[in-house]
Amino acid sequence: MSGLNSQQAGQGPVFIMLHGLFGSLDNFRSVSLHLERSLTVLRMDLPGHGLSPSLPTLSIEAMADAVLAEIDQLGIKEFHLLGHSLGGKVAMSVAGNPSCQGLQSLCVVDIAPRQYKPHHQPIIDALQALDLQQITDRRDADLQLRNAIPDAGVRAFLLKSLYRHDSGHFDWRFDLQQLATDYPLICRPPIVNRTIEPPTLFIKGGDSDYLGADDETGIKAVCAHPSLKIIVGAGHWPHAEKPAQFTRICQEFLSHV
C-alpha cells in the first residue's frame, strides 16, 4: 500500500490529528490553524478516506497499522496524537500497539474503547441507495438524501466528500463499499495490546451520548493516566461546534505533558 495522504504545517512538537468516519483531514483545518502557532500539526486522511488509499479490510487495527507505518515512513520519532470518533478508536489502537514508539500524549475526542451499536447503518444504506450516475450537483444529492438523513448538518458533513470526476460523474472521497462491508468491525472496541502509559485526555461533547460515566471502567482498563474534559453545549463534533474552547483544551493539556 502507498502512504497515507497528510498535510503538515506549523512548528514545534509534532501533533498528529485523525478524523472520524466519513471524514477527512479537512475536518480539523480551522482548529489546526490556531495550533500551528506552537505545534507542527500533521493532519492525516485515514485509509479509505479523503485522498488516502483504501485497504482490503478497513478494521480499526488495519487503519492503526497504516497510521503507524506512515509515522515511521515520515521519520517522526516523538509525537502527540489526537483522534475523533473512529479516529479516536484508531488512535487508541496505535497507542496500545507494542511497536508504537515515541508517543508523548494521547487525545481521544468523544469516543470510548467499547462496542457501539450500528447507528450509522441508516446513513450507509442511504448513501448506497443514492444513484451517483444521475446526480447533477450537490444540491440534488442533498435533496435525495433528505428523507433518509433528516439532519442537515450530517448531510452537509457527508456532502463535503462528494466530488465530480473528470468524466462528469460524482463519487465519494471515502471507500463507501468497503466501509459498508467492514462497518461491523468499526463498531467494535479497539484492540489495545498494551496499557496506554502516556497521559491521555478524553474530550466529551456535553450534549453527546458517545461517552458517558459508564465508560470510566473501560477507559481505566486500557489507559494508565486518563483525564476528562467536557465541552458544554457541544455535540459529537466539539472541534467544529466549539473550536476556540476545543483548541484551548488541547493547548492546555499539551503544555502540561
Side-chain angles (χ1 to χ4, degrees), residues 10 42 62 64 128 178 236 256:
L42 182 72
Q128 287 189 304
Q178 197 61 50
H236 185 53
H256 289 97

Side-chain angles (χ1 to χ4, degrees), residues 17-23 27-28 46 49 60 63 82-93 106-114 116-117 119-120 157 183 186-190 201-205 208-211 235-239 246:
M17 307 184 85
L18 306 176
H19 60 80
L21 182 63
F22 303 127
N27 296 162
F28 286 116
L46 290 175
H49 291 77
I60 294 162
M63 293 189 212
L82 177 145
H84 168 244
S85 201
L86 169 60
K89 282 188 172 183
V90 173
M92 284 185 274
S93 185
L106 176 65
C107 244
V108 179
V109 184
D110 214 57
I111 202 79
R114 62 166 162 91
Y116 280 81
K117 293 177 181 177
H119 54 260
H120 293 97
F157 168 75
Y183 181 56
I186 289 169
C187 292
R188 290 180 185 174
L201 174 65
F202 285 80
I203 301 176
K204 169 182 164 53
S208 171
D209 59 1
Y210 274 75
L211 194 55
H236 185 53
W237 289 281
H239 52 288
F246 182 87

